Amino acid sequence: MHLESGGETTLTESEQLFQLLTYLSNWESKLHLLQLIQYVPISPASKPEVEGFLRDSLVDENNFVRAWAYDGFYRIASQYPEYREEVRKFFQLAHRDEAPSVLARLRQILKKDDWL
């Protein structure tokens, strides 16, 4: 994939991508976009769409979607520190009742940074 290979997107392209989030209905599409967030800058204008999508994804019935929603919140909080305290709380709560596959993703995220 272009982005995984070091390719970049413009801010305009990322904003256009994030405008499509509300149209995603199947878990595979949601998962794919959640996995792309790490490669795409989130502009201040896109924060509301991304945040809403991440919140909805945190309660999705699919474990993979939930796991990558946590990753998405980590990414947005890395870029916008005002989210950090809430993301810390999300991670703490996840350790109480999330599926093992979700917890495995959380462990990977926790290895990346020390602000969590």
Side-chain angles (χ1 to χ4, degrees):
M1 169 192 255
H2 174 71
L3 296 174
E4 289 175 323
S5 301
E8 297 180 1
T9 64
T10 66
L11 205 52
T12 301
E13 290 169 333
S14 68
E15 287 174 350
Q16 291 171 340
L17 175 69
F18 292 138
Q19 288 175 356
L20 301 173
L21 293 175
T22 58
Y23 298 103
L24 301 178
S25 57
N26 65 40
W27 72 267
E28 293 95 340
S29 299
K30 292 176 186 179
L31 177 61
H32 187 66
L33 263 292
L34 287 164
Q35 291 172 330
L36 288 177
I37 288 176
Q38 65 186 303
Y39 303 110
V40 182
I42 302 167
S43 72
S46 295
K47 279 190 335 184
E49 288 92 358
V50 174
E51 180 183 350
F53 177 67
L54 293 172
R55 288 186 190 284
D56 289 345
S57 297
L58 274 183
V59 296
D60 196 276
E61 64 184 38
N62 186 284
N63 291 348
F64 295 116
V65 169
R66 288 198 316 279
W68 282 92
Y70 285 105
D71 188 85
F73 264 113
Y74 163 74
R75 304 295 174 168
I76 199 171
S78 294
Q79 193 171 342
Y80 298 99
E82 66 264 29
Y83 289 98
R84 288 186 177 182
E85 188 57 38
E86 185 176 23
V87 171
R88 283 185 193 103
K89 290 178 184 176
F90 286 159
F91 277 53
Q92 290 170 353
L93 291 172
H95 282 90
R96 293 184 188 162
D97 59 2
E98 273 292 3
S101 57
V102 175
L103 295 176
R105 183 76 204 136
L106 294 181
R107 284 191 295 276
Q108 293 297 314
I109 296 166
L110 290 169
K111 290 178 186 177
K112 295 177 189 179
D113 213 321
D114 60 356
W115 65 261
L116 285 167

